[in-house]
Amino acid sequence: MTTDQETSMSVTETGATIWLTGLPSAGKTTIAYELAGRLRTEGHRVEVLDGDEIREFLSAGLGFSREDRHTNVARIGFVAELLAANGVKVLVPVIAPFADSREAVRKRHAAESTTYLEVHVATPVEVCSVRDVKGLYAKQAAGEISGLTGVDDPYEAPEAPDLRIESHQQTVQESAAALHALLTERGLA
């Protein structure tokens, strides 16, 4: 049984999860917030599930072992799917370094008939280490931390993402525009 609200839902009110994966300091969060602003201006319901905020509030207590990273991604995927199923465009700028974790999130979305798009922010580690937004690369180089994704911990880049953004070769606005174009092509914007 559908409600009047569901039957009157336009294509722009259709929810989706847009997962931005990539190395630390690749530009995932910056692109997500740029796109979120544009989508809100167009009247879309949008949420950004920032990986740092999720770790603080939803996944507090988890470490960075493979199992903990998988649990973190699964939790984020659950929340994203729930929001997307209710008409929200959910932008998820989260590293999610392991292909099997991302695939599990994709399968959960498919099982619920919720749109899931994977975007690889494919910034080379050399560029990320120069950007070093949080100082992680410097700490790793100084021996203060270990397990940095893409340096001394694995990152499995998506083989066939819905979109690959090379943020080091374009502006934030151009990256967000490319992602907006994908959403438009898929009838989501």
Side-chain angles (χ1 to χ4, degrees), residues 94-173:
V94 173
I95 296 169
F98 300 108
D100 60 343
S101 296
R102 295 189 306 266
E103 184 59 25
V105 171
R106 180 185 297 279
K107 285 181 179 176
R108 173 175 181 71
H109 279 70
E112 300 297 325
S113 299
T114 304
T115 300
Y116 174 88
L117 300 174
E118 185 175 76
V119 178
H120 181 206
V121 182
T123 309
V125 69
E126 300 79 19
V127 174
C128 295
S129 67
V130 170
R131 289 179 180 171
D132 205 8
V133 178
K134 299 173 197 164
L136 297 175
Y137 292 91
K139 288 179 182 177
Q140 192 276 336
E144 296 172 23
I145 64 169
S146 62
L148 181 59
T149 302
V151 178
D152 61 351
D153 211 45
Y155 176 72
E156 299 169 355
E159 291 181 16
D162 295 282
L163 178 66
R164 190 175 316 278
I165 294 174
E166 298 195 16
S167 70
H168 59 294
Q169 296 182 350
Q170 57 192 26
T171 66
V172 171
Q173 293 76 20

Side-chain angles (χ1 to χ4, degrees), residues 3 5-6 9-17 43-47 77-90 108-109 112-115 188:
T3 66
Q5 181 182 11
E6 288 172 332
M9 189 178 280
S10 75
V11 80
T12 60
E13 293 170 325
T14 301
T17 295
H44 298 275
R45 294 171 50 206
V46 180
E47 288 295 333
F78 171 79
V79 173
E81 194 284 321
L82 184 65
L83 288 167
N86 285 283
V88 178
K89 305 288 187 307
V90 187
R108 173 175 181 71
H109 279 70
E112 300 297 325
S113 299
T114 304
T115 300
L188 297 166

